[in-house]
Amino acid sequence: MRLGRNNRLFIITCLFGLLIFAAGCSKGSTSGNISGGRDVVRLPGVTTAGQLDSEGKVQQGIRAVVTAIDTDKQIITLKVIDKRTIELQYTGATDIRNHNNEVMSASQLMPGEVVYADYNAGINKLNALIISSDEWKEEASGVNVDTGGSYIEYGKQKYTYDKNLVVMSGTSKCKLEDIELIDHILIRGRDKKIDSIVVTRGHGYLQLENTGFYEGGIIEVGKEVITGITANMKLLVPEGTYRLTVTKGKDSGSKDITIERNQEQTVNLAEFQKTGERYGNLGFKITPDGANLYIDKKKIDDYSGMIEVTYGVHEIIVTGEGYKTYTATLNVDSVYQDVVIELEPQETTADKQTASSKEKEGTTANNEREKDTTDEDTDTEETTTEKATTEQITTVSLSKIVSEILK
């Protein structure tokens, strides 16, 4: 059957229309999955218009510092610049990328990372996160943070910071002033401004006790600390496990110790002393000043500090011009003892003469009192005798007169 002219034109027109439609559909097509744009990471610093959906307002391109990653609960904590700290839930579908825009897992994120984040503020859901590509980072030690101002010094350079600075010790927040020169830290910043500091290797403290025997000797804590031993000293030591060695002359002792971050470890040096060689310390307080001290007949020129002696009995002698000599025995059986001595003044020649004079005056006064008493007794006796004689004479005279009359 032959088609008419009009029919042929109709068919050609339909075929031409189909070709145009197919070309339009295939134009710009690519292989792979088609994305709706929700999982596309925005470039740093680029913020699109805010979008509202049923879940709440979407925040895009927000600059923040990572402060914690909980891979069990799938929560990333961010300190948003100039704003509060927020916790965001992520899933396996959350788009997380490094500074090279390469896909990475949440477990690869580190505290202190400066990032740009897209998240839903209504339900705290993290949609996308990318590590900032305009931040530098550097591992350092010997950084001076105690400058008294809003800057720190490193490598003879000054770096500023502001209230947004995040300081971490491992996975915990800490204060800037807690950082010591011996700490190893990771610094992140832009130009001369620091955004975050993370302590990667911190410090602890080593407290020494009963140091008497080894004072003046040397202590070694691995290769990190080598210094002289002073009374009950405390050392700042990088965290880690070390071989501790103390040495004085031919005597030495060692043990393994572990210094934990921000913790204090105590070591008693008495445990390194042999039983027969244990030493104690004596602290003397002697009155008057300048008195001479002898221990076991050996003069001690300077006893303003502690005097180290072996355990056991020792002879103590203290002398001073114008004072009586002090002698005593002292049993040393502890690490430290206070010894308080006050000398008694010695009598001088003048004191003796004064005492003798007072004694003589007392004797003379006594003699005079005895003489006065004797004289008084004599006068009394004489008066009594005279009275008796007078009475006797009077009696004799009357008798004689009466006899003459009777005649």
Side-chain angles (χ1 to χ4, degrees), residues 156-380:
K156 297 182 179 180
Q157 298 291 326
K158 291 183 178 180
Y159 297 85
T160 63
Y161 61 88
D162 58 23
K163 64 179 181 179
N164 292 305
L165 176 66
V166 173
V167 184
M168 308 284 294
S169 178
T171 59
S172 302
K173 289 185 178 181
C174 69
K175 297 179 181 179
L176 185 62
E177 54 265 31
D178 294 335
I179 298 176
E180 297 285 351
L181 287 171
I182 64 174
D183 292 344
H184 290 224
I185 63 177
L186 181 61
I187 309 173
R188 292 181 176 88
R190 291 181 300 169
D191 298 325
K192 289 291 185 178
K193 182 173 179 294
I194 295 177
D195 293 315
S196 73
I197 298 176
V198 178
V199 179
T200 56
R201 187 189 184 194
H203 63 273
Y205 305 92
L206 175 61
Q207 175 67 61
L208 303 184
E209 293 183 344
N210 297 335
T211 55
F213 177 79
Y214 283 101
E215 286 174 20
I218 300 295
I219 181 171
E220 301 174 58
V221 185
K223 295 181 180 179
E224 299 288 345
V225 178
I226 301 176
T227 188
I229 300 174
T230 59
N232 299 322
M233 67 192 303
K234 179 184 285 189
L235 299 171
L236 192 68
V237 182
E239 62 179 314
T241 299
Y242 305 97
R243 184 68 173 174
L244 179 147
T245 302
V246 291
T247 306
K248 184 178 181 182
K250 296 181 179 180
D251 296 291
S252 65
S254 298
K255 69 180 296 185
D256 292 326
I257 63 169
T258 298
I259 301 297
E260 298 181 358
R261 187 177 299 190
N262 301 325
Q263 301 298 313
E264 182 175 297
Q265 171 73 282
T266 300
V267 174
N268 187 345
L269 298 193
E271 64 183 276
F272 301 133
Q273 296 177 220
K274 297 178 182 178
T275 304
E277 297 178 340
R278 296 193 66 180
Y279 281 71
N281 294 278
L282 303 177
F284 284 91
K285 297 178 182 179
I286 300 176
T287 303
D289 292 336
N292 300 311
L293 171 65
Y294 299 85
I295 300 179
D296 298 330
K297 295 184 172 56
K298 179 181 178 181
K299 185 178 181 181
I300 307 300
D301 294 324
D302 182 12
Y303 51 85
S304 58
M306 291 190 297
I307 307 300
E308 184 181 77
V309 296
T310 57
Y311 273 34
V313 177
H314 297 272
E315 182 185 43
I316 307 297
I317 297 175
V318 181
T319 64
E321 186 175 353
Y323 293 86
K324 296 180 180 179
T325 297
Y326 174 91
T327 302
T329 56
L330 181 65
N331 183 31
V332 178
D333 58 0
S334 61
V335 174
Y336 180 80
Q337 289 178 242
D338 274 323
V339 183
V340 180
I341 300 173
E342 184 173 353
L343 298 183
E344 295 181 10
Q346 193 176 54
E347 291 183 350
T348 63
T349 303
D351 292 336
K352 291 180 179 180
Q353 291 176 348
T354 300
S356 177
S357 176
K358 288 182 179 180
E359 184 178 353
K360 289 179 179 179
E361 290 177 358
T363 302
T364 302
N366 290 335
N367 290 338
E368 290 179 352
R369 283 195 295 272
E370 290 176 359
K371 182 178 179 181
D372 291 341
T373 301
T374 303
D375 292 343
E376 290 175 0
D377 292 343
T378 303
D379 292 341
T380 301

Side-chain angles (χ1 to χ4, degrees), residues 47 50-51 56-62 83 117-121 127-128:
T47 303
Q51 301 176 2
K57 189 173 182 179
V58 175
Q59 303 292 327
Q60 298 173 333
I62 303 301
K83 294 184 180 180
D118 293 357
Y119 62 92
N120 190 296
N127 298 323

Side-chain angles (χ1 to χ4, degrees), residues 98-136:
N98 64 19
H99 63 282
N100 291 322
N101 202 29
E102 299 169 339
V103 175
M104 62 184 292
S105 67
S107 62
Q108 292 176 294
L109 283 172
M110 300 295 294
E113 297 276 17
V114 181
V115 300
Y116 291 92
D118 293 357
Y119 62 92
N120 190 296
I123 57 174
N124 288 347
K125 177 184 176 182
L126 180 64
N127 298 323
L129 180 147
I130 184 170
I131 295 176
S132 173
S133 61
D134 55 4
E135 293 275 328
W136 52 262

